[in-house]
Amino acid sequence: AGFSLFTDGLYNNDFSIRTMYNLHFVMALIIIFGGLGFTVIEDIFSPKNIMTRLKQPWRKWEIGTKMAVYGTFWLIVIGTVGFMILEFDQLTDRNIVDAFITSMFQSVTTRTAGFNTMDFGSLQTATIIMCFGLMFIGTAPGSTGGGLKITTCVLIVISSIANIRRQE
């Protein structure tokens, strides 16, 4: 993933792809669904499960689905806020909505797709370390992305918290 027809990726100036924020938002949604995994998408969106939840609203998602969806949400939030804070200087030429979409797109694509709409050559060291962390965690099991996997990371965090509290 992350292959682009342009030498600078999506940061290319020739076709103004860098400023096509609607395209970035749609690509981010597609990447998120690809990173959730097939079993998670089936659990959430299969007609059978949707009908069952309409008849039995107490029926919850499977545990793997919960970990993948909530883990993805929090990684996107942390990455977006991280990009907005750490790369504030690169985002000053945009309004707040465009800066948010650019930060969200970078947060999403760093974990799985590898595209860039920011100048990665001038990123701060802290931002690069954050990108390494997002890349290391990656996506959900059974998805189109790589990494350690969100569920593994969530289990490590929950286990660490339980261990600190001296719980089993």
Side-chain angles (χ1 to χ4, degrees), residues 10 15 27 30 38 40-41 47 77 81-82 102-103 105 107 117 136 144 151 159 163 168:
L10 300 180
F15 299 103
M27 285 179 65
I30 292 169
F38 300 109
V40 172
I41 291 173
V77 168
V81 170
T102 300
S103 298
F105 183 79
S107 174
T117 56
F136 182 74
T144 58
T151 53
S159 177
N163 196 8
E168 291 188 18

Side-chain angles (χ1 to χ4, degrees), residues 8-161:
D8 297 332
L10 300 180
Y11 186 70
N12 190 304
N13 265 336
D14 297 338
F15 299 103
S16 300
I17 295 173
R18 177 182 2 179
T19 58
M20 295 181 184
Y21 301 110
N22 292 335
L23 174 67
H24 300 171
F25 188 74
V26 170
M27 285 179 65
L29 288 177
I30 292 169
I31 293 167
I32 290 168
F33 280 117
L36 282 176
F38 300 109
T39 55
V40 172
I41 291 173
E42 181 183 356
D43 187 31
I44 296 173
F45 296 111
S46 74
K48 177 185 163 197
N49 288 343
I50 290 174
M51 293 303 294
T52 303
R53 287 191 187 98
L54 286 174
K55 293 176 185 172
Q56 303 168 350
W58 61 87
R59 183 159 182 253
K60 304 294 183 198
W61 289 341
E62 295 177 10
I63 188 71
T65 301
K66 286 181 185 178
M67 291 189 335
V69 170
Y70 295 140
T72 297
F73 173 78
W74 283 111
L75 286 176
I76 291 171
V77 168
I78 290 167
T80 301
V81 170
F83 270 104
M84 288 189 81
I85 291 171
L86 296 172
E87 294 303 322
F88 181 77
D89 294 339
Q90 270 199 60
L91 299 171
T92 55
D93 61 338
R94 300 165 175 91
N95 64 34
I96 189 71
V97 174
D98 297 344
F100 174 78
I101 291 174
T102 300
S103 298
M104 186 193 74
F105 183 79
Q106 286 309 139
S107 174
V108 169
T109 60
T110 300
R111 290 187 28 244
T112 180
F115 293 114
N116 67 307
T117 56
M118 295 174 75
D119 184 13
F120 262 58
S122 65
L123 290 181
Q124 308 248 353
T125 305
T127 309
I128 294 172
I129 292 171
M130 181 185 70
C131 289
F132 286 161
L134 291 171
M135 287 181 213
F136 182 74
I137 295 171
T139 60
S143 69
T144 58
L148 178 68
K149 302 299 179 197
I150 292 174
T151 53
T152 305
C153 182
V154 169
L155 283 174
I156 290 170
V157 169
I158 291 171
S159 177
S160 299
I161 291 170

